[in-house]
Amino acid sequence: MNSAEQIVSPYGSWKSPLTAASVASASASVSSVLIDRATNPSRVYWLESRPSEGGRRTLLSKLVDDYSDATLIEHLADTQWNVRTAVHEYGGGAYAVHNGIVVFANWSDQGVYLLDTQQGTPRRIGSLDDKLRYAAFAIHQSGSFVVCVREDHRDSEIEAPAALVAIALTVSQEATPDIVLYKGSDFVSSPAMSVGDEIAFFTWNHPDMNWDTTTLWRAQLLIDSGLPTGLDQLRAVAGQTERESIYQPRFDSEGTLHFISDRVGGFWNPYHVSSNGHVTLSLAKPIDKEFASPEWSFGESTMQPVPGHAPCVVVTYGGEDGQSVLGILDVVTHVFDELPTPGWSVLGDFQFGTTRSGEPVLVLVAGGPTEPLSLFTYYINGMTSTRLSAKNSAVDEMAGFVSVPHTIAFPTRLPSNESSVAEAYAYFYPPTNRNYKAPADELPPLLVLSHGGPTSAAHAVYQPKIQYWTSRGFAVVDVNYGGSTGYGRAYRERLYPQFGVVDVEDCCAAALHLSATGIVDRHRLSIMGGSAGGFTTLACLAFRPEVFAVGASLYGISDLEVLIKETHKFEAQYPVHLVGPYPEAQAVYKSRSPLYSVDTLACPAIFLQGLEDKVVPPNQAVFMVEKLREKGIRVAHLEFEGEQHGFRQAKNIVRALEAQLFFFGKILGFVPADHIEPAVPIYNE
């Protein structure tokens, strides 16, 4: 449709083919890619979330060169199986596969199960204790045991001790005790084993998070009668004397230990342990690029040794304008061969397999501005990539409705020196709908997105939840405020201890920058965020009420003091860096909490909260809503049974998204084209 044929309609009221239901169905994510290199390197396994089945994660597999789904197998079709672990609450690393045997954690009881993929009936193994949680599984080459991380909740929920343990891969009616290999650190992660029975893993302690300081360990497994009895020659490889963050330990086929660290320059770069035992940079020189991201969940994989080419690893890092670079790095010669990609901005879950004809192939999850995250194969010899799913991407039918973002840098101020101007970053999405245009004298409303974490990042990858808004006539800016990752440690630590200050300033600065340039309507600025992003949203509304007209908090934090008192172990001391030591800095916690500054809040807001959230207690939203009702400010509040920290059930994803659109329409003065039922109850309307 050309511009003369487009329907003239106010921004926000455009009819879009991207419904809330289609956004929910697109929430079926692909993750945790693994390949059984022991006996069948041609078969790739992965997890797929199913919003239509309550958000459960099922295990699928197929041949790496099957683009028709003819060899596709769902190994855990019964809905009683949900491959998901609660370790650290964020999970990840919930299964492993070796020689046709799958070991996985099941969500309902957090038990460890063994599945023979040729027979198909999972059997519980190990301790049989529902108070023990397991993650980061690594099956030994013998197939007789699995090494994993254990989180022990038998005596304490908040200070659940962590240990590295081994579990015998035998089915028994009786409980089999775990074999404890390592304990003594608050956290342990990412065990990896070599063909020579060496093991590597990393640890860290409170009050640090793993992106602050970790220690990389290496040891020899002591094995007797097929099972490990302990570790020998345990030694720290890196991180014991320097403040560095270490991720993804990997052994190649010759026993060389590779890992990623930000020890030099504050950017996560690849390293290895050379033959003389020294930690050596794998690049010719450090570069200001990130080869990893913060490990909120287990199982991250942005680096893998190339099979048959021991000095080489495949890696990725963030490039220019939001695009990612993929390449093969020879860690001895430092030669980096960049591989061409179709404009991907996010790459991960690297695993190497082999086609049925014997050709090496990299399997990965990737996506870009017009490509949702999907499972791909990359033939490193021919340098070509193909989407592995036989299903057409939903984007294929969205021509003319997809908003392509571009990177913006905008001025902001740092609390340490408010007179000097710093720079922050974001991705800007213009309103896009081939069937509509707005009246000539109208500017679009702006939706500011404040990502969660807060130690996380926004990426320029196709996201239906963003396109839902842009295809209806909203402009969207996805802000990487100070504290975000992808820009090095110094940028990441701008938020220390300024959470609720730097993030608020940057989100407001992004909105005001865009309105000052005449791109968006200054009087229709809105903001939305989940979790820590929900806190930033509420803090913007409370402490900068002159900026935004409306906001939406999804399972957001309103009381920082309650967060440090009630949250789970993984983040129990995270606020020490973000805000300050507690109770010494109690006054700071209160002064930055939107809950205690509701008197300055003059903006309508909608709250959406899961009732089983262990990260952000639901009572925070209730308390905030009550305060706003007392003030006479328009407010809406929806609670969702069966949801934890984030919405996984399709019906709830739909309801939450439509409720936000309905509420924003009431506040910003547009009528959505969507038929939204039931209507959202709004207090003080």
Side-chain angles (χ1 to χ4, degrees):
M1 184 179 291
N2 59 45
S3 58
E5 297 173 324
Q6 287 180 309
I7 301 168
V8 178
S9 185
Y11 289 114
S13 66
W14 299 350
K15 185 175 178 60
S16 170
L18 188 62
T19 65
S22 60
V23 172
S25 64
S27 299
S29 62
V30 173
S31 65
S32 304
V33 177
L34 290 177
I35 287 178
D36 185 356
R37 294 198 56 81
T39 56
N40 193 357
S42 296
R43 181 162 286 273
V44 56
Y45 294 77
W46 71 94
L47 298 182
E48 181 179 283
S49 65
R50 298 276 179 81
S52 61
E53 298 176 13
R56 83 175 185 100
R57 294 173 184 168
T58 187
L59 178 66
L60 303 172
S61 76
K62 68 185 296 187
L63 294 179
V64 296
D65 51 1
D66 169 22
Y67 301 102
S68 67
D69 285 354
T71 64
L72 181 66
I73 299 173
E74 182 174 358
H75 296 279
L76 298 168
D78 193 310
T79 55
Q80 70 174 302
W81 305 116
N82 184 356
V83 187
R84 185 176 165 213
T85 173
V87 177
H88 295 175
E89 298 298 329
Y90 295 101
Y95 82 103
V97 58
H98 177 83
N99 199 21
I101 298 297
V102 174
V103 175
F104 69 95
N106 192 44
W107 176 254
S108 62
D109 56 14
Q110 289 300 297
V112 179
Y113 287 80
L114 185 149
L115 169 68
D116 185 334
T117 57
Q118 301 303 310
Q119 297 180 4
T121 303
R123 301 287 299 275
R124 189 166 181 177
I125 61 173
S127 65
L128 311 184
D129 191 330
D130 293 357
K131 289 290 187 178
L132 298 176
R133 303 176 182 178
Y134 301 86
F137 298 102
I139 301 176
H140 186 257
Q141 60 188 335
S142 67
S144 60
F145 63 90
V146 61
V147 175
C148 56
V149 174
R150 185 185 73 185
E151 195 174 71
D152 188 345
H153 290 255
R154 288 176 293 191
D155 297 323
S156 172
E157 285 293 324
I158 299 299
E159 289 302 328
L164 192 68
V165 302
I167 301 173
L169 296 185
T170 55
V171 176
S172 172
Q173 298 296 324
E174 307 262 330
T176 303
D178 298 335
I179 303 167
V180 177
L181 301 176
Y182 174 90
K183 61 180 180 179
S185 298
D186 289 329
F187 302 94
V188 59
S189 181
S190 305
M193 290 178 282
S194 75
V195 293
D197 286 338
E198 277 197 289
I199 188 169
F201 55 94
F202 66 84
T203 63
W204 72 99
N205 291 301
H206 282 317
D208 288 321
M209 303 296 285
N210 59 47
W211 46 85
D212 296 320
T213 302
T214 57
T215 300
L216 176 63
W217 299 90
R218 185 175 191 170
Q220 190 73 32
L221 279 169
L222 296 175
I223 298 177
D224 183 29
S225 302
L227 294 176
T229 58
L231 302 180
D232 188 30
Q233 302 174 47
L234 177 66
R235 58 204 182 277
V237 174
Q240 197 171 37
T241 59
E242 298 183 47
R243 186 169 175 80
E244 65 178 301
S245 172
I246 297 164
Y247 290 144
Q248 300 183 39
R250 307 275 191 267
F251 287 101
D252 64 26
S253 57
E254 293 185 358
T256 299
L257 178 59
H258 303 262
F259 59 95
I260 296 175
S261 170
D262 70 347
R263 59 167 38 202
V264 177
F267 285 80
W268 283 306
N269 281 195
Y271 289 80
H272 67 281
V273 180
S274 61
S275 57
N276 60 12
H278 294 157
V279 171
T280 304
L281 179 68
S282 298
L283 300 165
K285 61 180 180 179
I287 62 174
D288 291 350
K289 301 293 183 183
E290 301 276 42
F291 287 73
S293 57
E295 293 206 355
W296 283 93
S297 57
F298 295 97
E300 299 293 322
S301 180
T302 56
M303 176 187 70
Q304 282 291 346
V306 181
H309 300 276
C312 297
V313 291
V314 63
V315 292
T316 182
Y317 63 83
E320 302 302 320
D321 200 27
Q323 299 299 297
S324 290
V325 176
L326 176 69
I328 294 178
L329 171 66
D330 187 317
V331 306
V332 175
T333 65
H334 309 303
V335 173
F336 179 77
D337 290 323
E338 184 174 339
L339 301 173
T341 69
W344 288 331
S345 55
V346 176
L347 295 88
D349 279 275
F350 291 175
Q351 295 292 328
F352 273 101
T354 307
T355 66
R356 284 170 283 188
S357 62
E359 185 175 358
V361 61
L362 173 67
V363 184
L364 70 162
V365 173
T370 59
E371 178 72 58
L373 290 173
S374 305
L375 194 61
F376 282 87
T377 54
Y378 194 104
Y379 291 85
I380 58 175
N381 290 342
M383 294 187 293
T384 59
S385 61
T386 307
R387 189 193 304 144
L388 195 52
S389 172
K391 302 175 183 177
N392 289 332
S393 168
V395 184
D396 298 340
E397 287 81 43
M398 287 287 292
F401 298 98
V402 177
S403 179
V404 177
H406 63 266
T407 304
I408 64 169
F410 55 90
T412 188
R413 298 186 184 279
L414 302 179
S416 58
N417 187 357
E418 294 190 5
S419 61
S420 64
V421 177
E423 197 171 59
Y425 311 96
Y427 295 109
F428 177 74
Y429 296 77
T432 305
N433 187 315
R434 70 187 185 199
N435 295 333
Y436 289 88
K437 63 181 179 182
D441 60 349
E442 184 181 358
L443 289 173
L446 175 70
L447 176 60
V448 176
L449 298 181
S450 55
H451 64 71
T455 309
S456 185
H459 298 283
V461 66
Y462 177 85
Q463 299 176 70
K465 67 178 183 179
I466 290 178
Q467 303 297 331
Y468 178 85
W469 294 94
T470 57
S471 62
R472 284 164 172 76
F474 269 75
V476 173
V477 63
D478 208 356
V479 182
N480 275 323
Y481 49 77
S484 302
T485 58
Y487 306 92
R489 181 181 283 263
Y491 192 84
R492 192 165 75 239
E493 293 187 349
R494 276 189 190 180
L495 209 58
Y496 287 2
Q498 301 293 342
F499 185 39
V501 179
V502 167
D503 48 325
V504 169
E505 176 63 32
D506 290 356
C507 286
C508 292
L512 295 173
H513 169 76
L514 290 169
S515 64
T517 56
I519 298 176
V520 301
D521 187 342
R522 171 65 184 88
H523 302 291
R524 293 195 293 171
L525 304 180
S526 62
I527 185 169
M528 176 174 66
S531 188
F535 164 78
T536 301
T537 292
L538 294 174
C540 285
L541 300 183
F543 304 121
R544 297 291 301 276
E546 78 282 3
V547 176
F548 294 101
V550 63
S553 170
L554 287 76
Y555 37 92
I557 306 157
S558 61
D559 183 357
L560 291 174
E561 191 175 17
V562 171
L563 181 61
I564 199 169
K565 290 179 178 179
E566 296 186 15
T567 196
H568 56 102
K569 179 188 177 184
F570 182 67
E571 296 179 270
Q573 295 190 38
Y574 190 20
V576 171
H577 286 308
L578 292 173
V579 184
Y582 189 88
E584 295 87 342
Q586 184 179 28
V588 179
Y589 281 81
K590 286 185 175 293
S591 69
R592 293 188 194 165
S593 295
L595 186 66
Y596 299 108
S597 298
V598 72
D599 289 342
T600 64
L601 201 158
C603 304
I606 181 172
F607 294 78
L608 303 125
Q609 177 70 46
L611 290 177
E612 295 182 12
D613 195 335
K614 297 293 182 61
V615 179
V616 177
N619 60 6
Q620 291 197 11
V622 172
F623 204 26
M624 194 75 174
V625 169
E626 290 176 351
K627 294 291 185 181
L628 291 175
R629 289 183 66 181
E630 291 172 5
K631 285 195 65 177
I633 295 173
R634 284 178 289 180
V635 62
H637 182 211
L638 297 180
E639 295 180 318
F640 299 94
E641 293 185 1
E643 294 287 10
Q644 295 89 40
H645 195 61
F647 303 148
R648 293 177 173 83
Q649 299 179 41
K651 64 178 181 178
N652 295 334
I653 295 171
V654 169
R655 180 60 172 157
L657 197 52
E658 290 185 339
Q660 292 169 69
L661 180 65
F662 181 91
F663 188 77
F664 279 24
K666 290 289 187 181
I667 306 303
L668 299 179
F670 66 86
V671 179
D674 307 67
H675 180 67
I676 299 174
E677 289 289 347
V680 179
I682 300 176
Y683 301 112
N684 300 322
E685 188 174 16

